[in-house]
Amino acid sequence: MKLQIAIVTISCTLMTGLIPDPSNAQTSSIGTNRRPATCPSRKAPANGPPSLAQAKKYFKCHAELEVTQSRKADGPNRLSLIDNLNMQISSRARRYSIATDSEYGLNHRLTKPLGLTSDLTVYDIQGSYTVYECNDASYNRPGQNCQISQFNDSRGVCFKNNFNDWHCTMVGAPDKPTRKGPPPQ
């Protein structure tokens, strides 16, 4: 009986080492282990502006994206990642203005309204970041499957919508010409 338990234990240990860990798998065939940021909850803080760490997290959750095609014939998989994010957030609030704040692309990549109204409070943000727009590596030369753009002077807002969910977004023009390269690791 002890021999059988030992054999089963050894077999299970060996099998565990042979089964790939999906958390370490590369994102489709893009060539990176990085996944887009996720925000299971956007409720904090309940009052006042978000902390700098929260604002960065909400910005990444708004800007990063992964699209997986069901069939290769549909085209490449796509991954958008943010890297080298530097940000400042204003400690003073102001009212949302459809005339000035619509330029920040608040509905960028969203398929449903954010619940924005003119009585919402917003906090101005500014910063710099690098955007990696990557396609399936098999559609490009190895290590050249990402369009890399540097945004050094971007501005935007953090706001809590009518559903009490925080969103942060910035826009700006790329500072340098877009170049090709590998995805961030």
Side-chain angles (χ1 to χ4, degrees):
M1 182 68 169
K2 288 183 181 181
L3 181 59
Q4 288 176 330
I5 291 173
I7 291 172
V8 169
T9 303
I10 292 169
S11 297
C12 288
T13 303
L14 288 172
M15 289 304 290
T16 303
L18 295 174
I19 298 171
D21 180 359
S23 66
N24 289 332
Q26 289 192 340
T27 304
S28 57
S29 57
I30 300 291
T32 182
N33 293 331
R34 280 249 334 250
R35 310 292 287 176
T38 58
C39 291
S41 174
R42 295 175 178 258
K43 302 296 183 193
N47 297 307
S51 69
L52 183 58
Q54 289 168 324
K56 286 181 173 184
K57 179 174 83 171
Y58 295 142
F59 172 72
K60 281 188 166 188
C61 287
H62 191 81
E64 293 189 336
L65 172 73
E66 182 175 12
V67 176
T68 304
Q69 303 294 337
S70 59
R71 300 181 329 219
K72 280 284 191 187
D74 292 340
N77 294 324
R78 229 172 16 108
L79 182 67
S80 296
L81 295 172
I82 302 294
D83 203 20
N84 306 318
L85 176 60
N86 293 303
M87 182 188 289
Q88 293 177 312
I89 184 166
S90 172
S91 59
R92 292 188 340 202
R94 64 176 177 80
R95 292 284 175 213
Y96 169 79
S97 167
I98 195 164
T100 59
D101 293 329
S102 62
E103 71 185 60
Y104 297 127
L106 297 177
N107 287 313
H108 178 64
R109 293 193 181 143
L110 297 176
T111 57
K112 52 189 169 187
L114 289 174
L116 293 165
T117 59
S118 60
D119 64 332
L120 290 176
T121 300
V122 300
Y123 294 88
D124 290 310
I125 57 175
Q126 63 182 10
S128 63
Y129 52 94
T130 306
V131 175
Y132 290 80
E133 295 282 344
C134 304
N135 288 322
D136 189 315
S138 65
Y139 287 85
N140 297 283
R141 290 191 334 238
Q144 300 292 310
N145 59 312
C146 298
Q147 298 284 337
I148 305 169
S149 303
Q150 179 64 41
F151 293 80
N152 287 328
D153 187 23
S154 295
R155 305 213 185 290
V157 292
C158 285
F159 63 96
K160 205 171 200 183
N161 68 8
N162 286 338
F163 305 104
N164 288 322
D165 291 326
W166 279 101
H167 295 271
C168 296
T169 183
M170 290 189 289
V171 297
D175 244 20
K176 301 174 183 171
T178 299
R179 67 190 198 311
K180 288 189 174 243
Q185 299 300 318

